[in-house]
DNA sequence: GCGACAG
DNA sequence: ATCTTGTCGC
């Protein structure tokens, strides 16, 4: 079943960009964000690309915020509904992700998705779009920079530098492990940058990538 | 015009 | 994203 929010999906670049410009003002980029103690379940979201044909696999893993144990999961594989166009990422990955979210037993208190949020040419990346459609707190965590400029952060875990776009801070390059390439964090919806980074660090005890996203990535590959 | 471009 | 072996380093 197709998610209600994606029944009227754009088919062209101009249509998709218009939707981003229209929805961008609806993203809450400051929070206050959920109180740390109120976050019991954190969901990681990722999309995989199975095999031949233009298919996408949306995966969501829900983790206990304290133990980081997986307590719920959902995977949806379906035909892609939009081509890959940098900047219009959400129109390709949102449909399978929303479908997977619908199949969850638990409603997460916080979403962490693979991709940028505010750090986007029109300041409305996947994390923002996901937040506006679900009205859940969302943090965007990308593995490579996309737009804006930044200096490399210090080598220590927890050190960071701002990502600046047109004179505005739109995210941070955040070191999650000593000496390892940083991840790129930006606001999605209903949370500020400070809180977003604090959550990301707390959710990344062992590897470079936050545990919720790692688990979702595994799921999207059928593991 | 040419290159770069989240996953 | 995905196609893919070994190899350097802690």
């Amino acid at each position: 079943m197709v998610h209600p929010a994606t029944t009227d999906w754009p088919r062209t670049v101009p249509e998709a960009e218009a939707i981003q410009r229209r929805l961008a003002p609806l993203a809450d980029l400051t929070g206050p964000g959920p109180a740390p103690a109120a976050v019991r379940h954190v969901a990681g979201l990722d999309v995989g690309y199975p095999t031949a044909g233009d298919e996408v696999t949306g995966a969501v893993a829900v983790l206990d915020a304290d133990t980081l144990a997986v307590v719920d999961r959902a995977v949806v594989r379906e035909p892609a509904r939009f081509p890959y166009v940098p900047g219009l990422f959400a129109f390709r990955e949102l449909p399978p992700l929303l479908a997977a979210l619908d199949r969850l037993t638990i409603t997460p208190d916080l979403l962490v998705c693979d991709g940028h949020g505010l750090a986007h040419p029109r300041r409305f990346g996947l994390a923002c779009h996901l937040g506006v459609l679900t009205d859940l707190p969302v943090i965007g965590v990308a593995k490579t920079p996309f737009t804006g400029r930044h200096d490399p952060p210090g080598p220590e875990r927890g050190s960071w530098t701002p990502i600046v776009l047109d004179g505005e801070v739109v995210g941070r390059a955040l070191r999650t492990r000593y000496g390892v390439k940083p991840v790129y964090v930006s606001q999605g919806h209903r949370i500020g940058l400070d809180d977003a980074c604090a959550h990301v660090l707390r959710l990344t005890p062992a590897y470079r990538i936050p545990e919720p996203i790692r688990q979702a990535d595994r799921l999207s590959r059928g593991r």
Side-chain angles (χ1 to χ4, degrees), chain A residues 174-215:
Chain A
L174 176 66
R175 197 82 69 177
T176 53
R177 286 197 66 185
Y178 182 90
V180 172
K181 178 179 178 175
V183 295
Y184 305 86
V185 180
S186 59
Q187 302 97 312
H189 185 53
R190 293 180 56 186
I191 190 165
L193 192 49
D194 281 325
D195 292 330
C197 288
H199 277 292
V200 168
L201 278 179
R202 185 172 53 72
L203 297 168
T204 314
Y207 301 93
R208 175 190 174 221
I209 305 300
E211 204 54 27
I213 292 182
R214 286 192 69 240
Q215 294 304 326

Side-chain angles (χ1 to χ4, degrees), chain A residues 15-181:
Chain A
E15 288 173 357
E17 291 180 341
I19 290 174
Q20 291 184 327
R21 285 188 288 267
R22 176 161 53 80
L23 298 183
L26 302 182
D28 172 359
L29 308 171
T30 56
V39 179
R40 296 285 163 66
H41 298 119
V42 184
L45 299 84
D46 193 19
V47 173
Y49 295 80
T51 53
D54 202 20
E55 291 197 304
V56 288
T57 301
V60 182
V62 180
L63 280 59
D64 178 294
D66 295 320
T67 66
L68 299 187
V70 178
V71 296
D72 196 10
R73 52 178 64 181
V75 182
V76 171
R77 178 172 173 168
E78 59 183 37
R81 302 181 54 183
F82 202 86
Y84 171 64
V85 180
L88 299 179
F89 203 47
F91 296 96
R92 186 169 177 74
E93 302 209 335
L94 227 30
L97 289 178
L98 291 172
L101 281 172
D102 276 346
R103 297 192 180 186
L104 249 33
T105 298
I106 299 173
T107 297
D109 303 304
L110 176 67
L111 267 38
V112 183
C113 75
D114 192 328
H116 293 100
L118 221 211
H120 174 277
R122 285 170 292 282
R123 294 174 172 66
F124 197 70
L126 174 64
C128 299
H129 207 145
L130 194 53
V132 168
L133 295 189
T134 63
D135 198 34
L136 290 172
V138 186
I139 297 172
V141 180
K143 295 183 289 295
T144 64
F146 180 34
T147 191
R149 301 185 49 168
H150 68 89
D151 292 317
E156 305 291 339
R157 165 179 156 86
S159 64
W160 57 268
T161 53
I163 296 173
V164 180
L165 177 62
D166 298 326
E168 277 180 65
V169 174
V170 296
R172 287 179 189 168
L174 176 66
R175 197 82 69 177
T176 53
R177 286 197 66 185
Y178 182 90
V180 172
K181 178 179 178 175

